[in-house]
Amino acid sequence: MTYESYVGMSREELLEKIAGQMSQRRFQHVLGVEKAAIHLAELNNYDSEKAGLAGLLHDYAKELPDQDFLDLIDKYNLDQDLKNWNNNVWHGMVGIYKIQEDLGLTDKEILRAIEIHTVGSSQMTTLDKIVYVADYIEHNRDFPLVEEARVIAEQSLDKAVAYETINTVAFLAKKAQPIYPQTIETYNAFCKYSESAKG
């Protein structure tokens, strides 16, 4: 797998740059998401190179200091409401600007998939769904629902997005955490694909 046409460097050079941005644990996670994204792309007749690169870069900005995100929001005149959220939202929604600055990535579809990989959207492309789901099911993940999520992902991206979103919303609600409005929009758009919705 080579990503040179997108970022002007070999995969090895890119991996070195990514590794310098994050902890070893996070680096292992992004490698896992790259692998899962390529697998999902192959299952869904999508460009595996694009999917792999989006998976590899999805958490590029995850370990930036909060102040860097706040500065990027101002620098790019982004919605000021973003400042009321946190890293969980920022590392995708704002992190894409750091990726563009550091790596020169211009592919709009890849950037969009990275931008919404934690919050989703009511309108998601195949690549958006692949990255959203791959992040949840990659092989390093270990939580009670992950095995079922992996089985569903093999069957249908729409069902997998529904399953992940329903469980994320339930998890946040149980902890009385605020839920980003776009995540609610994702839930409303995809809950109809859930197996439980058919009952």
Side-chain angles (χ1 to χ4, degrees):
M1 194 62 64
T2 174
Y3 301 127
E4 209 149 345
S5 60
Y6 292 103
V7 291
M9 62 182 90
S10 68
R11 183 173 182 274
E12 288 66 35
E13 290 170 316
L14 181 59
L15 288 178
E16 194 175 326
K17 196 155 181 68
I18 293 168
Q21 287 290 315
M22 60 189 63
S23 64
Q24 184 59 29
R25 186 165 174 267
R26 177 70 45 190
F27 184 60
Q28 289 306 312
H29 167 64
V30 301
L31 290 175
V33 176
E34 177 192 33
K35 184 178 176 182
I38 290 168
H39 174 66
L40 291 173
E42 289 167 350
L43 276 181
N44 292 279
N45 300 311
Y46 186 80
D47 182 334
S48 58
E49 185 179 10
K50 264 188 141 167
L53 182 57
L56 193 58
L57 294 179
H58 82 287
D59 271 359
Y60 181 82
K62 177 70 176 172
E63 296 181 2
L64 286 181
D66 287 357
Q67 190 58 50
D68 287 16
F69 289 114
L70 297 170
D71 291 345
L72 285 165
I73 290 168
D74 287 338
K75 181 176 180 180
Y76 291 98
N77 297 310
L78 306 181
D79 185 349
Q80 291 295 300
D81 178 62
L82 281 165
K83 291 183 177 179
N84 298 320
W85 296 87
N86 57 31
N87 182 285
N88 288 333
V89 170
W90 292 338
H91 79 274
M93 304 286 284
V94 185
I96 56 165
Y97 295 92
K98 177 70 171 166
I99 290 170
Q100 290 172 84
E101 286 183 357
D102 288 7
L103 305 175
L105 180 67
T106 58
D107 186 283
K108 287 183 168 56
E109 198 176 2
I110 294 175
L111 289 167
R112 172 66 176 168
I114 295 169
E115 179 185 14
I116 65 168
H117 81 268
T118 61
V119 297
S121 171
S122 60
Q123 303 286 321
M124 294 174 79
T125 65
T126 299
L127 182 59
D128 295 339
K129 294 170 191 173
I130 285 171
V131 178
Y132 188 80
V133 173
D135 185 26
Y136 198 72
I137 65 163
E138 65 95 0
H139 70 271
N140 297 296
R141 294 286 202 197
D142 183 21
F143 55 92
L145 303 170
V146 75
E147 288 302 335
E148 189 174 355
R150 287 174 181 140
V151 170
I152 294 169
E154 295 286 318
Q155 302 164 1
S156 159
L157 282 175
D158 286 331
K159 286 180 181 178
V161 170
Y163 185 84
E164 176 181 339
T165 308
I166 289 164
N167 285 297
T168 298
V169 167
F171 175 76
L172 292 170
K174 193 171 182 182
K175 296 205 306 180
Q177 296 284 320
I179 299 171
Y180 194 66
Q182 200 165 306
T183 302
I184 300 295
E185 290 171 16
T186 309
Y187 171 85
N188 287 339
F190 283 89
C191 62
K192 65 188 176 197
Y193 296 107
S194 170
E195 290 300 321
S196 55
K198 294 178 174 61

